Amino acid sequence: MSAGAPLLEVDDLRVSFATEDGLVRAVDGVSFTISPGEVLAIVGESGSGKSVMAMTLMGLTRGPNARIAGRATLGAVELVSASERDLQRIRGASIAMVFQDPMSSLNPVYRIGRQIVEQIRVHDRSVSKQEASARAVELLARVGIPHAERRLQSYPHEFSGGMRQRVMIAMALSCSPRLLIADEPTTALDVTVQAQILEELRVLRQQSDAGIILITHDLAVVADIADRVIVMYAGRVVEHGTLDELFYDPQHPYTWGLLGSITRVDRDTSTMLPAIPGMPPSLLRTPQGCHFRPRCPHAFAKCMDVPELSARAPDAPGHLDRCWLEVEQKRKLRVVGDQIGLASSEPVIS
Amino acid sequence: MARFLVRRLAVMVGMLFAISLVTFLLFIVALPGGNPAGMLAGRLATPAEVHLISVHYGFDKPIWVQYFRTMEHIFDGTSYSYQSGFNVLSEIEAGLPTTLSLALGAGVIWFLTSIVVGTLAAIKAGRYTDRVLTVLSMIGVSMPVFFLGAILIYYAGYKASLIPISGYVPLSNPADWLWHLIAPWFTLSVLFIGIYSRILRSTILDTINEDFVRTARAKGLSQRQVLLRHILRNSLVPIVSLWGLDLAQVIGGGAILTESVYSLHGVGYLAYQSVQHFDTVTLLSIVMLTAFCVVLLGAIVEVLYAFLDPRIRLQ
C-alpha cells in the first residue's frame, strides 16, 4: 500500500432512484479512499448497493429518475458532477470495469478483436487500426488466451465463459486504467475458472499500480486478494478495515453473520451451516436506525438511532464500524461455538 | 455457403412444386362454376362445341396430365390466357418493370424510414416525440391504401397539381419515372412504416438493457456510437426478416390496391384483372411468381441474418 495521495476519494456518496413505489435509496452515504496498487473489496448481499455504487463512479447510473449526491474525486476530476463528455473520456480509459456476466457482456455480433480495438481507438484516435490490433493481441496474450492473434478473429460465442471474462479483462486493461472496478468478476464462472481469473487480477496488481475495486459477495475471494474490505448492508457501509482486521476482529454483527456462513473445510461437516436469519430490507422502506437491527440478535434500544461509521476499537484507528455495542461486548458476543458467527443464526442444510 | 445454396435451391424447387399443385387444384380443377370448357364456350354453346373446346384445351385428359401440361406451358412461355388469348408470360413481363419500380423504391423507403422513426421513438420512449410517433404509426397502420391513395390523388394531384394523378413512366425517363412514383411509393410505404417502426422500437428498448450495451458505455463510447454500433445493429434482425417477406409479396403482385389506385399496370394490376375475369391461367402464373419471390427473398434474408448475427449458421 502506498502512502501517497489517494487514487480515488469517495465522500458521502448517495444514490437513490425515484420509482413508482417510492424512493429507492440504493447507496446511502458511502465514503472511502483507494490508493494506487491497492485492492479494495466491497462485500455485501445482493441489493446492498455495491454495484450501483460502482456504476455511479463511472456515471452509468445517471438518468431522469436517479438522484446522485456526494463527491467522488479521481485525480483532478469530480465524477459525480462531471459532464457526460468528460465521463466519456474517463470511462474505459482512467476507470475500467469488468462485469459479472461474461456471457452477455460482449456484443455477440462483433469479433472480439474489433471490440478491443474499438475501446483503444475511441480514447486515442491517433492509434491506427493495425497498432490497436497489435495491442489487442498483446493484451489477450497477457491475460492468458492462447493463439491470441488468431483468437482476435473469433466471435464471443466461440469462447467459453472463463475465456470471455479474460477478454473482458483484456479490454478493461486496454487503455491502462488507473482504477479497475471488477463487479463480481468470478460469480458466473466455475470454481476452477474463478481461481484463474483471480490469479489474473493478482498478476495485474503486481504489474501495474492500478487500484482495484473488487465487488463480491464471496468472502473466500476477498480473503484471497484484498488489502482492505468494506462491508455494505442495505446501502450503507457497516464495517471498513484491513483484511486482517475484518477477518480476525470483525466488529459488526452483520460481518459476523457473513463470516459464520462461510463453508470451511475445518468445520465439522455433520453440523448445519449457519445462515443469517431474515431477509435484507427493501431499499424502499429501510428500518429506522441501524439497517441491520431487525435481523440482529444483539439489538437493543440504542439501535433505533443510526450509529456513526467510526473507529471504536482503541488499538485500530483505521477500523471503522457502525454498531453501538462496546468493543469488549462484541468480542464476547461474536464467538459462537469456537468460531466467529451470529448467535441466533439459523442452521440450514450444508 | 455453397452447401447452403444447394440446399436452399432444393427447398425452393420442392416448395414451388407444392404450391403449384395446390394452386392448380384450386384454380383449374375445383374451379367454381364447374367445367372450364363450359365457361370458355359460353352460355349458348352446344354440348358438341363444349366437347370440342374440352379436347382442344386438354380438359378431357387426366388431372396429372393437365397439371404437367399447364406447368410446361408456364415454364416454356407458351401459356395463353383462356379469356384474352394473350401470352401470360409476356403479360407478366410487361408488368414487371412497373411492379419492380414500385416495390424496390417503396421497399427502400419504408425500410429506412422505419429505422429512423423506430429509433427516434425508442430513444425518446415515453416522452412527447414517442407519443406523437406512436399515434402516427397507428394512423399509418389503419389507413386503407385505397383511401390514402384517393385522398392524395384528389388533393395533391387534382386540386394542387403537386403530383401526377396516375400512370407509370418507364425508367428511360428517370425524372418522370421518379415523379410518377412518389405518391405510390408513399402510399404503399405508410402501412409498413407503421408496423416496422413499432417493432423496431420495442426491439431497441429490449436491446438497451442488454449487458453488452452497458459494456459499450463503460468503454467510453458516445451515446451515438453506442446507439448505432451496438444497439441498432443488434436490433435489426426482426425487421429484416419481415422486410424480405413483404418485399417478395409486393414484387409478386401483392400491391394490388396501390397499383389499381394509381393505374400502374404492373403484376398486381394484372392479378386484379385476372380475378375479375376468372382468368385462372394468368392467376396461376402470378401465384407461382409470388411463391418464387417469397422463397428467393427468404433465402436472401437468411444470408443477411448470418451477416447481422454471426451466431446464426447458414444451413
Side-chain angles (χ1 to χ4, degrees), chain A residues 55 58 60 88 91-92 99 104-110 115 118-119 122-123 155 157 168 171, chain B residues 210-212 214-215 217-223 225 228-230 233-234 308-311 313:
Chain A
M55 303 265 283
M58 307 238 352
L60 293 177
Q88 271 170 30
R91 279 185 209 134
F99 295 99
S104 55
S105 292
L106 289 161
N107 192 331
V109 309
Y110 294 122
Q115 299 192 45
E118 182 181 41
Q119 176 162 359
V122 79
H123 291 292
Y155 287 100
H157 68 273
M168 285 298 292
M171 206 153 85
Chain B
E210 292 277 354
D211 286 347
F212 65 79
R214 184 182 59 185
T215 307
R217 294 181 64 204
K219 281 159 82 171
L221 301 186
S222 69
Q223 305 273 28
Q225 287 167 326
L228 294 181
R229 286 191 211 158
H230 292 271
R233 168 71 191 272
N234 289 64
L308 283 174
D309 189 342
R311 284 170 300 180
R313 290 265 166 76

Side-chain angles (χ1 to χ4, degrees), chain A residues 245 249 251 310-321 325-331 334:
Chain A
E245 283 168 350
D249 189 21
Q251 295 295 308
S310 56
R312 291 164 205 271
D315 46 344
H319 188 180
L320 315 175
D321 73 274
L325 292 168
E326 298 298 326
V327 177
E328 286 317 309
Q329 243 179 319
K330 289 182 195 171
R331 285 181 179 155
R334 73 187 178 203

Side-chain angles (χ1 to χ4, degrees), chain B residues 116-220:
Chain B
V116 173
V117 174
T119 308
L120 200 62
I123 56 178
K124 301 277 183 193
R127 280 187 266 170
Y128 185 72
T129 315
D130 177 36
R131 281 181 218 169
V132 171
L133 289 175
T134 303
V135 172
L136 286 179
S137 300
M138 290 306 150
I139 294 175
V141 171
S142 43
M143 177 81 79
V145 165
F146 54 84
F147 180 64
L148 180 63
I151 286 190
L152 273 177
I153 289 174
Y154 183 71
Y155 287 103
Y158 174 68
K159 285 271 187 182
S161 303
L162 288 172
I163 50 160
I165 286 173
S166 66
Y168 173 75
V169 175
L171 191 53
S172 49
N173 183 348
D176 251 17
W177 172 81
L178 192 77
W179 190 231
H180 278 79
L181 279 168
I182 288 177
W185 280 342
F186 178 75
T187 309
L188 182 59
S189 298
V190 163
L191 165 76
F192 293 119
I193 294 172
I195 299 172
Y196 284 35
S197 59
R198 291 279 89 191
I199 294 173
L200 183 64
R201 175 186 179 274
S202 70
T203 323
I204 288 180
L205 289 180
D206 285 343
T207 312
I208 279 181
N209 292 321
E210 292 277 354
D211 286 347
F212 65 79
V213 173
R214 184 182 59 185
T215 307
R217 294 181 64 204
K219 281 159 82 171

Side-chain angles (χ1 to χ4, degrees), chain A residues 90-102:
Chain A
I90 291 167
R91 279 185 209 134
S94 307
I95 311 179
M97 196 156 174
V98 176
F99 295 99
Q100 174 172 353
D101 191 352

Side-chain angles (χ1 to χ4, degrees), chain B residues 86-121:
Chain B
F86 291 143
N87 183 316
V88 173
L89 190 67
S90 44
E91 288 277 280
I92 292 180
E93 272 174 0
L96 260 184
T98 312
T99 296
L100 279 176
S101 302
L102 175 68
L104 294 178
V108 170
I109 290 173
W110 91 58
F111 189 71
L112 295 181
T113 314
S114 311
I115 290 181
V116 173
V117 174
T119 308
L120 200 62

